[in-house]
Amino acid sequence: RVEPAGGADATGEGESAAAAPGEGGEAKRRRRSIVRLRRPTNQLVTPLLTDLYQLTMAYGYWKSGRHEEAAVFDLFFRKNPFRGEFTIFAGLDEVLRFLGSFSFSESDLEYVAKTLNNPEQGFMDWLADINCRRIRVWAVAEGSVVFPRVPLLRISGPLAIVQLLETTLLNLVNYPSLVATNAARMRLAAGPGKVLMEFGLRRAQGPDGALSASKYSYLGGFDATSNVLAGKLTNIPVKGTHAHAYVQSYTSLNDLRSTALLSNENFLQSVLDTRTAFGFPDANDGELAAFVSFAQAFPDGFLALVDTYDTLSSGVPNFISVAVQIFKLGRKPLGLRLDSGDLSYYSIKSRELLRAAAKQFNIPELAKMSIVASNDINEQVLYSLKAEGHEIDAFGIGTHLVTCQAQPALGCVYKLVEISGTPRIKVSQDIHKVSLPAKKQAFRLYSRQGTPLVDLLLLNTEAPPKVP
């Protein structure tokens, strides 16, 4: 079968046109209106979020009377990131929000006039009046698997306006597509049955980098984020437990203000009896106090960080002692988290202790408690853990996900391919930098079994491929 994606003008009133491959019905063309979309998530995404040379070119076009000429630009990339075989397209939603709200404010215009050293008033009047109502956008469906050279976006409209869009569109597509691809690769490495949580807020490149990482790692296959603001803005599930500082803040059992939990007035003593019966009476009391206090706060969401002191002789036994008593109250704890050391080894040994406790205390569910792992995890670590064998159910991944340390940029480009109906090409001695001229359409061809075979680029004037 053949699947195209469609486009529409910025008011949603234009006819559909075939474009880059996406996820649609059988040879159906799709339109999308952007005029009613909300403003960009980040209020800094305005027409001034651009490079100066976009404004100087726009002035040059206007000065020479060419600013209204019909132009077509392609936004694409030349090479898959991470030495891989695919890329996930992301950022379209924010692109459409930007186009739907494109307008220079009074303060924007004052700054532009000052920066361009007082250009002619006619240009400033033109700049004050422009919007993206005459811009047409053809795009791959967001979240699609895409490949080099196939246009992710095709932008057409008046030359000066589509030129002004270049830098902002690249900014809105490059990082989102990169981090979504990074997340998808980690999802493949971890396997479909594992829970993946984005923990990168504190290591991300500023607030916008953090919010973008949360949003687009979720698109790439992650299940949740620790970023509370991202959860509020995007409705992504938010998950988290506690840090080592919480455990360190308790030094003894005397730090507990209450020894009860729900209907068990002697909860602490029950926990201590369980710990003794399990054979770990000398585990760290301060750590146990921290776990008890956290259980008192979250009896239905108890998940403890167990490696503050000694994972196997203190952290896991203390967790088990509290978890057993939570089960006896008819509630269900969630699990434990490992944040250091040999994650494969510690997960296996932790599972052994959980199974032993499940048998000893006749609580089968205890053996199935979730084991969460963090600690500088990347794609290679995930594959290594799989090769070694482990008992980890969920991964919290931060630095390597949000900073894309393996490759810090995708390298999307925005190239003029047609002006006034005439194809244009950029030539270069570097063959990979030679652009593909003319307005194009793309189709993804599938086998009868539904397997994608190839992406086919055609001139916009050529008939779509037919299914035999």
Side-chain angles (χ1 to χ4, degrees), residues 102-409:
F102 185 93
S103 179
F104 285 89
S105 68
E106 288 297 326
S107 62
D108 289 344
L109 294 168
E110 291 174 4
Y111 183 76
V112 170
K114 178 182 177 182
T115 302
L116 295 182
N117 196 22
N118 297 317
E120 293 182 29
Q121 186 58 43
F123 173 71
M124 296 307 301
D125 292 342
W126 173 82
L127 212 59
D129 289 339
I130 62 172
N131 53 48
C132 287
R133 292 184 180 274
R134 291 184 290 164
I135 299 299
R136 290 177 60 107
V137 180
W138 287 257
V140 175
E142 187 157 18
S144 296
V145 174
V146 291
F147 301 99
R149 295 285 180 175
V150 175
L152 309 178
L153 297 172
R154 192 176 84 206
I155 310 293
S156 66
L159 174 60
I161 299 178
V162 290
Q163 185 69 70
L164 284 171
L165 301 176
E166 174 180 3
T167 300
T168 316
L169 298 189
L170 288 170
N171 180 271
L172 293 174
V173 169
N174 262 312
Y175 178 71
S177 298
L178 184 71
V179 75
T181 305
N182 200 20
R185 292 175 64 89
M186 290 184 180
R187 163 54 67 196
L188 291 172
K194 304 302 180 183
V195 174
L196 296 181
M197 297 172 286
E198 179 269 312
F199 280 3
L201 173 57
R202 64 187 60 194
R203 304 287 171 79
Q205 288 92 339
D208 184 64
L211 289 170
S212 294
S214 299
K215 178 177 180 178
Y216 296 112
S217 62
Y218 187 67
L219 183 149
F222 272 55
D223 300 288
T225 178
S226 66
N227 188 332
V228 177
L229 180 58
K232 176 185 176 183
L233 295 176
T234 63
N235 205 32
I236 295 171
V238 178
K239 294 186 181 296
T241 54
H242 62 78
H244 294 106
Y246 189 86
V247 177
Q248 292 173 283
S249 71
Y250 288 83
T251 58
S252 73
L253 297 175
N254 294 328
D255 290 333
L256 290 168
R257 292 189 176 183
S258 170
T259 60
L261 177 61
L262 301 176
S263 61
N264 187 346
E265 294 295 330
N266 297 309
F267 180 75
L268 176 59
Q269 187 58 54
S270 298
V271 169
L272 289 170
D273 291 344
T274 300
R275 191 174 71 172
T276 299
F278 194 46
F280 292 88
D282 297 323
N284 189 285
D285 283 346
E287 182 179 58
L288 183 65
F291 290 179
V292 169
S293 73
F294 202 69
Q296 289 169 334
F298 301 100
D300 293 308
F302 179 60
L303 197 156
L305 179 60
V306 297
D307 66 346
T308 302
Y309 301 116
D310 188 292
T311 301
L312 299 179
S313 65
S314 182
V316 177
N318 276 334
F319 164 78
I320 289 172
S321 301
V322 175
V324 165
Q325 294 304 316
I326 292 177
F327 272 117
K328 289 185 177 182
L329 289 169
R331 303 300 179 90
K332 184 178 179 180
L334 299 181
L336 58 89
R337 179 162 73 98
L338 304 168
D339 190 50
S340 61
D342 185 331
L343 297 177
S344 174
Y345 172 79
Y346 281 120
S347 70
I348 291 171
K349 291 299 181 181
S350 295
R351 183 69 69 195
E352 289 176 358
L353 287 171
L354 288 168
R355 288 169 178 157
K359 182 177 181 180
Q360 179 175 340
F361 298 106
N362 195 27
I363 305 176
E365 288 181 287
L366 191 59
K368 302 175 184 179
M369 287 285 91
S370 179
I371 297 177
V372 181
S374 46
N375 187 31
D376 214 25
I377 294 171
N378 58 31
E379 182 183 345
Q380 288 69 38
V381 169
L382 291 171
Y383 278 118
S384 295
L385 286 170
K386 186 183 292 185
E388 294 172 11
H390 65 83
E391 289 288 340
I392 299 167
D393 302 293
F395 295 92
I397 306 176
T399 304
H400 290 278
L401 173 64
V402 305
T403 64
C404 297
Q405 286 187 349
Q407 181 176 325

Side-chain angles (χ1 to χ4, degrees), residues 1-75:
R1 70 179 189 272
V2 180
E3 289 190 357
D9 60 23
T11 62
E13 298 169 350
E15 65 178 49
S16 297
E23 298 175 359
E26 294 295 328
K28 290 182 179 179
R29 296 174 178 180
R30 295 169 295 170
R31 294 182 295 176
R32 184 171 186 179
S33 171
I34 63 175
V35 71
R36 297 183 183 87
L37 291 180
R38 293 175 292 173
R39 291 184 173 274
T41 302
N42 189 331
Q43 64 181 356
L44 296 177
V45 180
T46 71
L48 286 194
L49 186 66
T50 190
D51 293 309
L52 177 60
Y53 78 171
Q54 311 295 1
L55 290 164
T56 60
M57 283 189 285
Y59 186 40
Y61 292 141
W62 179 88
K63 186 79 171 175
S64 62
R66 303 191 63 202
H67 57 295
E68 291 291 334
E69 291 187 27
V72 180
F73 282 78
D74 283 347
L75 189 152

Side-chain angles (χ1 to χ4, degrees), residues 53-54 61 71-78 149 151 153-156 159 162-163 166-167 169-170 411-419 423-428 432-440:
Y53 78 171
Q54 311 295 1
Y61 292 141
V72 180
F73 282 78
D74 283 347
L75 189 152
F76 60 94
F77 61 94
R78 299 184 176 111
R149 295 285 180 175
L153 297 172
R154 192 176 84 206
I155 310 293
S156 66
L159 174 60
V162 290
Q163 185 69 70
E166 174 180 3
T167 300
L169 298 189
L170 288 170
C412 285
V413 294
Y414 185 84
K415 296 300 179 183
L416 178 68
V417 296
E418 182 180 290
I419 189 162
R424 306 303 297 163
I425 185 172
K426 178 194 178 297
V427 296
S428 173
H432 72 283
K433 288 192 173 183
V434 176
S435 63
L436 299 176
K439 185 185 294 185
K440 298 171 286 293

